[in-house]
Amino acid sequence: MQDFAQALLSALALVITGDGELWAIVLLSLKVSITAVVFAACVGMPLGAALAVSRFRGRRVVTVILNALMGLPPVVVGLFVYLALSASGPLGVLHLLYTPTAMIIAQFILVLPIVATLTRQTVEDLDAEYRLQLRSFGLSRFSSVPTLLWDARISLMTALLAGFGRAIAEVGAVIIVGGNINHVTRVMTTTIALETSKGNLALALALGVVLILIAILVNAAVSALGTASTRGATTGLAHA
Amino acid sequence: MPSLAFLPPFASTPLARTEVLTSHQSLLPLTAEGLTFRTGDRVLVDIETLSIGSSGATMILGPNGAGKSLLIQLLHGLIVPTTGRISFGGRPIDTAARKRQAMVFQRPVMLRRSVASNLGFALKAQGVGRAERAERTARLLVEGGFEKVADQPARTLSGGEQQRLAMLRALSTEPELVFLDEPTSSLDPQSTLAIEEMVARAVKRGVKVVMVTHDIGQARRLGHEMIFMHHGRLTEQTPAANFFDQPESAPARDFLAGQILT
Ligand SMILES: Nc1ncnc2c1ncn2[C@@H]1O[C@H](COP(=O)(O)OP(=O)(O)O)[C@@H](O)[C@H]1O
Ligand SMILES: [Mg+2]
């Protein structure tokens, strides 16, 4: 108990004094996860929206697969990305293994199904409401996609935050493809795992505190968006 | 609604035809022949011939489920008929033709944007340039009494205000023909009156109105011509003057007598 209290105190000291090593790790975590989410947004939102408005055979199957992919175990994604990037893998020539780029790729794969699925759901709901009116304005199914995405912007922000929450908190994928190399690929979650096993509770706890703060901030942002949407009535999910 | 087949995107519009459309010659009457709409083995709309003239208000009356909404959605080109042809100035209802028409729905569809951008959106969809859009939007806001709430999200307006905005938006593009699908059915009397005044003013300006209603009083107040529908069929199309005194079809007679049609 004594140990724990001591560790917690040193942890808080690290956070408050802005310890260099700590913040380098936090910044790398943010950089990797935000980059992964931005790329997932660029691919996942148009993909989800196109899926929402298109009618083709096999659409249901694609939807179900995408839904299932939301629950991909990070360790398995890590394993596949590792195999692809390893020296003998198809992308081995790129020498990306154990770099932040490898971690971004892994998190991109984890976040993409979340963004695409939530976008599809949101846009589909909004399209059900807007469809006839937009056709009446003379917009076709596909030319109404930008309108649907824009009008669903608050719900889509929530989807991106959900994706970010998953990315920043996962450990399995980044530890496999990043390797947890000091000053290179060490992010919050992998450092917590390593330092805890080494008995360096202060740094582990300090990172834990930061991670929890980030989680709280993300949730606060989601609920603030929710409030904004009911007041301003600007989400795809809220109906009058 | 798995059976609703929407028009293919970018229905082909050769340039020459678009040019004809942008001129101000009338595309009315709107005519339909052999028009049916089926899902599975149910025939929901079945109309041999129909011609909607170029002026006044044509009211479509009939019991719930008669196919009134489906009919005007077919005529506006929002859904594709199972069989039959619709002709608007000798052309099929494609995107360009639809832009000369407008529709207001029973529940107003407000975009999640400001009041002003709801108006601007319809104009933009018609290809009206930015400067002209701003000017016309400003004028419409004044005309509709929406200046004070111009920047407010449209969905924060009351139901009646939303429907007035939907009317204003539909008329903003100066359509030749407007379809109204029971626009007042969920409104209070005051808002209903405001909508009816907008309809009457539009008709006076020369806009052709085709309006679905279940309100006999409203049909009497606004209509120049009556269409009665029952079980997807058109039982009669009669001038208003005759319809209320001497309806030609038995279902219309029973409906006017206050009977509940099945
Ligand atoms: N998209 C659709 N698919 C299948 N049936 C429909 C569809 N839309 C309406 N219907 C059915 O068609 C009939 C006529 O509907 P509608 O045109 O909405 O009637 P109303 O005269 O009350 O406006 C109803 O029985 C309705 O359930
Ligand atoms: Mg109806």
Side-chain angles (χ1 to χ4, degrees):
Chain A
M1 208 59 226
Q2 187 80 35
D3 279 0
F4 177 78
Q6 193 121 38
L8 193 59
L9 277 180
S10 350
L12 288 178
L14 283 177
V15 174
I16 291 162
T17 57
D19 177 75
E21 191 187 353
L22 176 89
W23 288 112
I25 293 169
V26 171
L27 283 182
L28 180 65
S29 283
L30 289 175
K31 195 184 107 186
V32 167
S33 295
I34 289 173
T35 310
V37 169
V38 167
F39 280 106
C42 292
V43 178
M45 296 203 319
L47 184 72
L51 198 54
V53 297
S54 59
R55 299 284 175 269
F56 59 91
R57 218 190 300 198
R59 177 174 174 272
R60 279 281 269 280
V61 177
V62 175
T63 303
V64 169
I65 291 174
L66 218 49
N67 270 329
L69 290 180
M70 285 212 294
L72 273 181
V75 185
V76 176
V77 170
L79 176 61
F80 279 114
V81 175
Y82 176 89
L83 291 175
L85 298 181
S86 65
S88 55
L91 302 174
V93 289
L94 300 176
H95 299 295
L96 289 175
L97 203 57
Y98 305 135
T99 65
T101 307
M103 301 196 288
I104 291 171
I105 293 171
Q107 292 197 344
F108 167 80
I109 293 172
L110 283 171
V111 173
L112 182 64
I114 298 180
V115 174
T117 295
L118 295 180
T119 300
R120 183 202 46 81
Q121 185 65 57
T122 303
V123 170
E124 214 168 273
D125 289 349
L126 192 59
D127 186 49
E129 186 192 331
Y130 277 15
R131 186 162 38 211
L132 291 180
Q133 181 68 72
L134 294 184
R135 269 341 143 266
S136 176
F137 286 148
L139 295 180
S140 71
R141 240 189 303 152
F142 289 98
S143 65
S144 57
V145 164
T147 303
L148 292 167
L149 284 175
W150 176 250
D151 280 26
R153 57 197 175 275
I154 290 187
S155 297
L156 295 179
M157 283 297 296
T158 309
L160 294 186
L161 286 170
F164 175 75
R166 170 145 159 118
I168 196 93
E170 77 76 33
V171 53
V174 283
I175 206 162
I176 293 179
V177 302
N180 206 19
I181 303 166
N182 205 359
H183 304 304
V184 182
T185 57
R186 201 165 276 187
V187 290
M188 288 191 280
T189 51
T190 58
T191 310
I192 290 174
L194 179 72
E195 299 299 330
T196 305
S197 68
K198 287 200 315 198
N200 183 1
L201 291 184
L203 183 56
L205 269 174
L207 286 168
V209 167
V210 174
L211 200 50
I212 288 171
L213 283 177
I214 290 174
I216 291 172
L217 276 177
V218 167
N219 276 299
V222 168
S223 77
L225 284 173
T227 318
S229 69
T230 38
R231 213 185 300 133
T234 41
T235 96
L237 297 173
H239 286 266
Chain B
M1 305 186 295
S3 54
L4 274 193
F6 288 97
L7 286 181
F10 310 115
S12 66
T13 331
L15 265 181
R17 283 159 88 201
T18 314
E19 271 163 24
V20 172
L21 264 188
T22 52
S23 74
H24 279 273
Q25 82 198 61
S26 175
L27 297 176
L28 290 164
L30 176 70
T31 59
E33 251 172 77
L35 193 63
T36 67
F37 184 77
R38 275 174 237 184
T39 60
D41 54 359
R42 284 183 70 199
V43 182
L44 299 173
V45 173
D46 182 1
I47 288 174
E48 273 162 39
T49 62
L50 171 67
S51 176
I52 305 267
S54 59
S55 68
T58 298
M59 309 298 280
I60 303 180
L61 276 168
N64 257 339
K68 307 181 294 295
S69 296
L70 286 176
L71 173 62
I72 62 172
Q73 286 175 21
L74 286 165
L75 295 177
H76 190 33
L78 297 183
I79 53 178
V80 178
T82 311
T83 66
R85 281 193 15 208
I86 299 168
S87 157
F88 187 48
R91 319 159 29 99
I93 305 290
D94 54 18
T95 304
R98 200 162 336 122
K99 286 182 176 176
R100 292 283 296 266
Q101 311 177 345
M103 185 178 289
V104 173
F105 298 87
Q106 189 167 346
R107 279 185 50 196
V109 182
M110 291 287 110
L111 303 177
R112 287 153 173 77
R113 300 166 186 226
S114 70
V115 170
S117 13
N118 263 275
L119 293 170
F121 189 92
L123 294 170
K124 188 176 179 193
Q126 295 258 324
V128 177
R130 183 184 288 266
E132 189 187 340
R133 216 155 66 217
E135 183 206 315
R136 279 169 72 174
T137 301
R139 202 158 5 105
L140 288 162
L141 287 168
V142 174
E143 184 189 317
F146 286 110
E147 309 120 285
K148 285 216 182 82
V149 293
D151 298 321
Q152 199 171 306
R155 283 158 56 95
T156 59
L157 299 178
S158 73
E161 288 167 332
Q162 288 191 19
Q163 196 59 292
R164 278 203 299 115
L165 183 59
M167 282 289 297
L168 194 64
R169 188 177 60 184
L171 294 168
S172 71
T173 56
E174 293 169 5
E176 190 176 353
L177 168 59
V178 182
F179 293 102
L180 308 174
D181 194 354
E182 302 199 37
T184 64
S185 64
S186 53
L187 301 186
D188 59 284
Q190 207 140 9
S191 304
T192 299
L193 183 65
I195 298 290
E196 287 190 8
E197 280 171 2
M198 290 179 89
V199 174
R201 241 177 292 139
V203 169
K204 210 174 277 177
R205 278 210 312 266
V207 180
K208 173 69 196 179
V209 169
V210 176
M211 181 172 187
V212 174
T213 182
H214 61 250
D215 179 344
I216 296 171
Q218 181 169 68
R220 216 187 260 275
R221 287 191 292 279
L222 294 172
H224 301 95
E225 175 187 56
M226 300 293 145
I227 284 177
F228 196 86
M229 279 189 80
H230 190 37
H231 292 322
R233 291 169 190 274
L234 194 155
T235 69
E236 70 175 278
Q237 181 173 11
T238 326
N242 305 349
F243 180 82
F244 293 102
D245 299 332
Q246 289 173 301
E248 286 166 11
S249 61
R253 213 158 30 237
D254 294 346
F255 187 79
L256 287 174
Q259 285 183 31
I260 293 165
L261 298 186
T262 52

